Amino acid sequence: MPDPVTTAPLTSPDQSLTIAVVDPSRARAAVLEEGLRNLDGARVVVIPDTVDLLDRLSALAPDVVVIHLESPSRDLLEQLFGVSRLVEKPVAMFVDRSDTAMMQAAVDAGISAYIVDGLKADRIKPIIEVAILRFNAFARLQRELAEARNELADRKLIDRAKGILMSAKGLSEDEAYKQLRRKAMNEKRKIVDIARAIVTAADLLG
């Protein structure tokens, strides 16, 4: 079961952010920097190439990643989509040319904003704002999904423990649950932890 996303949400693009700009063209990076100056207190770090990109982003630990490539190859785009999956931060990607397959791959990779032929300074801030909002919404959905899966797994474990107690002690389902709850209260533990111990012991005894 995948771990829930634990990344803290970015509440506002105007808080003190570190923004990584990945662009091999200094001229295009300057356009991005100009647009990002509208984000109060933002620290902008330009990464001029994609060599060891993931390691460099990991060391920098930016709050937002902005990538611009004039005509990226499919292999390079797939590498950058991998960055989106691994950094667990909002990623806004600007490309001059794209196709339906690449846009679908961007969506699948969790790119927060994928902009084709839209690099203009006055558009940067709203695009970053949308990227942050989309990332936060997606992260919240992932957390909720993980929590729902964990709750379902816990319920199954408790049901199995109740079944073991019912079979071993001739209890009703309600009596078995009360025993689990009583033991959890006495030991100041969660009911699911007591249930897990009962199931583990039953598995060991065969």
Side-chain angles (χ1 to χ4, degrees), residues 107-119:
V107 172
D108 293 342
I111 297 291
S112 303
Y114 185 79
I115 313 301
V116 181
D117 191 24
L119 184 60

Side-chain angles (χ1 to χ4, degrees), residues 162-163 165-167 169-178:
K162 286 192 298 184
L165 291 176
M166 291 164 64
S167 176
K169 297 186 175 183
L171 303 175
S172 67
E173 182 177 358
D174 185 57
E175 289 170 337
Y177 182 77
K178 286 180 180 178

Side-chain angles (χ1 to χ4, degrees), residues 95-116:
V95 296
D96 290 349
R97 288 183 293 277
S98 186
D99 57 36
T100 302
M102 283 296 96
M103 285 188 281
Q104 183 61 54
V107 172
D108 293 342
I111 297 291
S112 303
Y114 185 79
I115 313 301
V116 181

Side-chain angles (χ1 to χ4, degrees), residues 36-195:
L36 293 170
R37 277 199 289 268
N38 293 324
L39 299 177
D40 295 337
R43 171 191 174 218
V44 179
V45 179
V46 177
I47 300 176
D49 56 63
T50 57
V51 177
D52 298 324
L53 181 58
L54 186 56
D55 289 339
R56 293 158 79 179
L57 289 173
S58 296
L60 179 61
D63 299 295
V64 182
V65 179
V66 181
I67 300 169
H68 184 276
L69 296 168
E70 183 176 1
S71 183
S73 67
R74 187 173 297 268
D75 288 343
L76 180 56
L77 276 175
E78 289 178 354
Q79 174 191 345
L80 295 175
F81 293 159
V83 168
S84 175
R85 295 186 186 97
L86 294 172
V87 298
E88 292 187 351
K89 299 292 182 181
V91 176
M93 181 175 290
F94 293 82
V95 296
D96 290 349
R97 288 183 293 277
S98 186
D99 57 36
T100 302
M102 283 296 96
M103 285 188 281
Q104 183 61 54
V107 172
D108 293 342
I111 297 291
S112 303
Y114 185 79
I115 313 301
V116 181
D117 191 24
L119 184 60
K120 295 179 181 178
D122 60 353
R123 296 187 62 199
I124 304 301
K125 181 179 179 179
I127 287 171
I128 297 302
E129 289 173 341
V130 170
I132 290 173
L133 290 171
R134 287 191 62 190
F135 173 81
N136 287 342
F138 181 68
R140 183 175 62 252
L141 287 174
Q142 285 191 310
R143 284 193 298 270
E144 291 172 354
L145 178 60
E147 289 168 1
R149 286 174 173 168
N150 287 336
E151 288 175 3
L152 179 60
D154 288 350
R155 285 199 297 271
K156 288 181 177 179
L157 193 62
I158 291 170
D159 285 343
R160 188 176 173 197
K162 286 192 298 184
I164 292 170
L165 291 176
M166 291 164 64
S167 176
K169 297 186 175 183
L171 303 175
S172 67
E173 182 177 358
D174 185 57
E175 289 170 337
Y177 182 77
K178 286 180 180 178
Q179 280 208 2
L180 287 173
R181 185 174 59 186
R182 187 181 307 114
K183 188 169 181 62
M185 293 176 62
N186 290 340
E187 297 185 8
K188 295 181 179 179
R189 297 167 63 189
K190 294 180 179 180
I191 292 178
V192 68
D193 293 333
I194 300 299

